Amino acid sequence: MVETAGVRHRPRVEGGREEEILAATVALVAELGYDRLTMDAVATAAKASKATLYRRWTSKAELVVDAISRAKGCPMPENVDTGSLRGDLISLACGAGGFTDEMPMSVMAGLLTALQHDAELQNAFRERFLAPRLGLVATIYQRAVDRGEVSPDIDVELLANTLPAVIIHHAFLLGVEPTDDLILRVIDNVILPAARGSQAS
């Protein structure tokens, strides 16, 4: 490992091989789920040696979280600014990397069970995958607060978690596919009325 300013970095895989390994990992998580995925399976799918994987990633959890955080199949949603909370939420939820994007949702399905019992995966997932996305959502809601779209008496943190909670409940508990129509219904019938709070009366 290389050490820079007290931080230890594992060597990267040369050329485009690292992207191929990350893409193969994302595809296998979506297909097999985290618990059934193995480093051997990734090595086979990516046509790489298992030694190559372990030189770059110390564990399956590290590899998987790196893959879902960086691979093209699970893009980080863009920091859109449409000028309204409704427009921002639609762009975020219905665009690349959003709830209607098949690959990220398939990957999420593959991770859900493991996230309940694998502490290493849970910590890495929260730090590397979830935190940047929560930060983006917080920015969108803060802009809405600054524009006066969100009532001062609203619990903004709770409100910001409502759309993903409803969509994930529909997708993984009720078996209802996330569609643009479902997302619009949640935004228009739940999020925006809740955001206005007492101002709506």
Side-chain angles (χ1 to χ4, degrees):
M1 280 186 285
V2 179
E3 186 167 336
T4 306
V7 179
R8 305 176 78 194
H9 300 279
R10 298 184 72 82
R12 291 193 175 278
V13 180
E14 293 183 0
R17 294 294 293 132
E18 183 158 307
E19 289 185 9
E20 294 172 3
I21 292 169
L22 296 177
T25 302
V26 166
L28 286 172
V29 172
E31 177 186 351
L32 302 176
Y34 181 84
D35 289 327
R36 293 173 57 201
L37 180 144
T38 64
M39 297 294 262
D40 282 322
V42 174
T44 298
K47 297 181 173 60
S49 70
K50 194 160 69 168
T52 297
L53 300 186
Y54 278 112
R55 278 196 300 270
R56 177 66 180 88
W57 298 278
T58 59
S59 65
K60 180 173 77 168
E62 184 182 343
L63 169 59
V64 167
V65 173
D66 199 22
I68 65 174
S69 300
R70 295 174 49 217
K72 294 178 181 178
C74 288
M76 173 73 179
E78 294 184 9
N79 184 8
V80 294
D81 187 356
T82 65
S84 73
L85 178 59
R86 185 179 191 273
D88 288 352
L89 291 178
I90 291 172
S91 296
L92 187 70
C94 300
F99 296 122
T100 57
D101 199 337
E102 181 179 354
M103 180 58 79
M105 291 300 285
S106 296
V107 167
M108 188 60 62
L111 293 176
L112 276 180
T113 301
L115 283 169
Q116 303 304 310
H117 63 76
D118 190 313
E120 182 184 6
L121 174 66
Q122 185 180 95
N123 291 335
F125 177 81
R126 286 177 175 172
E127 179 181 331
R128 296 207 48 201
F129 182 84
L130 200 55
R133 287 159 175 79
L134 291 176
L136 176 56
V137 172
T139 298
I140 286 174
Y141 275 91
Q142 185 57 54
R143 285 199 302 258
V145 170
D146 296 341
R147 288 191 298 259
E149 292 182 87
V150 178
S151 175
D153 60 346
I154 296 303
D155 184 334
V156 178
E157 182 179 0
L158 182 61
L159 183 65
N161 287 325
T162 302
L163 178 59
V166 173
I167 297 301
I168 289 172
H169 175 81
H170 276 73
F172 300 130
L173 296 181
L174 303 181
V176 177
E177 178 185 359
T179 61
D180 291 349
D181 178 66
L182 175 59
I183 290 167
L184 287 172
R185 285 167 54 206
V186 177
I187 292 172
D188 290 338
N189 295 295
V190 180
I191 304 299
L192 296 183
R196 291 190 294 268
S198 58
Q199 296 177 359
S201 57

